[in-house]
Amino acid sequence: MRLPRLVLLCVLLVCATAARADAYDDAQRLLRSGDAAAALELADRTIADQPRDARMRFLKGVILTQSGRNAEAEQVFRALTEDFPELSDPYNNLAVLYAADGRLQAALGALQAALRNDPQHRAALENLGDVHLALAIAAWSQAASGAKGDTTALRRKLRLAREIPAAVTPSKPG
């Protein structure tokens, strides 16, 4: 009698896991097809049933970001870093939002956390370079504005740094 119940329990667990994977895939498809509202609705329903589903919560943050709802996306990613501090991608995506808002020191801290978790995280490494460059441009600009004497080398650094595409705002989510 116990064996059939155990088999039934295993089947139910596999079905529940598959349903969550299907919901995630469906939400991704909806988002890719341009139906962010339906993707968000599906994500919210799934999260209501499975509040610890980190993948779906992350996808919700991505949906919100792509919908221009950055403050809400920031809340989602921040909550993910609190609930799953070992994950790198939420920190990376937080950094992108912080940098877009001009909060470069906060972006730097988030990227450092992402890289502590995964030192080879390509997007975080690229975004770290972008943030360092933006901080350098800010420092060189400040130095140039109050400089006396020959600022030729400083102005050359600024010109070259500003020529690098996408130098100010990281845009590579994880």
Short mmCIF file of all heavy atoms in Angstrom, two decimals, residues 22 48 72 76 159 165:
data_model
loop_
_atom_site.label_atom_id
_atom_site.label_comp_id
_atom_site.label_asym_id
_atom_site.label_seq_id
_atom_site.Cartn_x
_atom_site.Cartn_y
_atom_site.Cartn_z
N ASP A 22 7.40 24.85 -17.28
CA ASP A 22 6.56 25.28 -18.40
C ASP A 22 6.12 26.73 -18.22
O ASP A 22 6.11 27.50 -19.17
CB ASP A 22 5.32 24.37 -18.53
CG ASP A 22 5.68 22.99 -19.05
OD1 ASP A 22 6.79 22.82 -19.58
OD2 ASP A 22 4.83 22.09 -18.92
N ALA A 48 3.07 33.58 -6.78
CA ALA A 48 2.09 33.45 -5.70
C ALA A 48 2.01 32.00 -5.22
O ALA A 48 1.86 31.74 -4.02
CB ALA A 48 0.72 33.93 -6.17
N GLU A 72 10.31 49.16 -9.53
CA GLU A 72 9.76 47.86 -9.15
C GLU A 72 10.76 46.74 -9.42
O GLU A 72 10.90 45.81 -8.61
CB GLU A 72 8.46 47.58 -9.91
CG GLU A 72 7.32 48.50 -9.54
CD GLU A 72 6.15 48.34 -10.49
OE1 GLU A 72 5.37 47.37 -10.29
OE2 GLU A 72 6.04 49.15 -11.43
N VAL A 76 12.50 43.91 -6.83
CA VAL A 76 12.54 42.47 -7.07
C VAL A 76 13.98 41.96 -6.96
O VAL A 76 14.25 40.96 -6.28
CB VAL A 76 11.95 42.12 -8.46
CG1 VAL A 76 12.23 40.67 -8.84
CG2 VAL A 76 10.45 42.40 -8.47
N ARG A 159 38.68 63.00 -23.45
CA ARG A 159 38.20 62.81 -24.82
C ARG A 159 38.22 61.35 -25.22
O ARG A 159 37.25 60.83 -25.76
CB ARG A 159 39.06 63.65 -25.79
CG ARG A 159 38.59 63.57 -27.24
CD ARG A 159 39.45 64.40 -28.19
NE ARG A 159 40.88 64.20 -28.04
CZ ARG A 159 41.56 63.14 -28.52
NH1 ARG A 159 40.93 62.19 -29.16
NH2 ARG A 159 42.86 63.04 -28.36
N PRO A 165 32.17 53.57 -26.67
CA PRO A 165 30.70 53.43 -26.70
C PRO A 165 30.17 52.88 -25.39
O PRO A 165 30.77 52.03 -24.75
CB PRO A 165 30.44 52.44 -27.83
CG PRO A 165 31.70 52.35 -28.60
CD PRO A 165 32.81 52.79 -27.70
#
